[in-house]
Amino acid sequence: MITKKDLEHIAWLSRLELSEQDREKYTPRLNSVLDYFGELDTVDTESVEPTYHVLALSNVFRDDEINSPAKSLSQEEALSSAPKKQDGFFKAPRMM
């Protein structure tokens, strides 16, 4: 059961400001969500295989080709439209 104090803590962690009206409104709503999870805990899932994804997916890999038919850009072509470059590299502003 979530109390108003719990809700205030969750809001603080989420960096949300809740008014007293919001606290009154959302406390029962969150409790109803938790009650629903409690109902799900009672469902017998012993014979159900775990589902990690709803669609059957498999990785699609391509063969590595040394002499790929697609031509890469040369260093000069790649840098030709760069606003700033230095010593053959893209120059970007410092982050720190």
Side-chain angles (χ1 to χ4, degrees):
M1 183 94 178
I2 291 182
T3 64
K4 283 186 189 179
K5 186 175 180 179
D6 294 330
L7 184 62
E8 288 173 8
H9 182 68
I10 293 167
W12 179 80
L13 290 172
S14 305
R15 294 190 174 36
L16 297 173
E17 291 184 27
L18 297 177
S19 66
E20 184 60 35
Q21 182 182 9
D22 289 336
R23 289 183 205 124
E24 294 287 334
K25 179 179 172 182
Y26 291 117
T27 301
R29 288 184 181 186
L30 285 173
N31 282 319
S32 71
V33 170
L34 292 177
D35 289 341
Y36 182 70
F37 279 111
E39 287 180 36
L40 290 176
D41 287 338
T42 63
V43 175
D44 180 25
T45 59
E46 283 296 317
S47 61
V48 178
E49 287 291 320
T51 302
Y52 302 104
H53 200 282
V54 294
L55 300 175
L57 296 177
S58 61
N59 287 333
V60 179
F61 296 105
R62 64 171 175 79
D63 292 332
D64 288 334
E65 297 177 6
I66 295 174
N67 297 322
S68 176
K71 183 168 173 5
S72 299
L73 294 175
S74 68
Q75 186 175 11
E76 293 80 26
E77 290 172 320
L79 292 171
S80 66
S81 62
K84 293 183 181 179
K85 50 194 162 217
Q86 180 180 2
D87 300 325
F89 296 99
F90 294 102
K91 184 172 179 172
R94 286 188 175 184
M95 297 305 293
M96 301 271 300

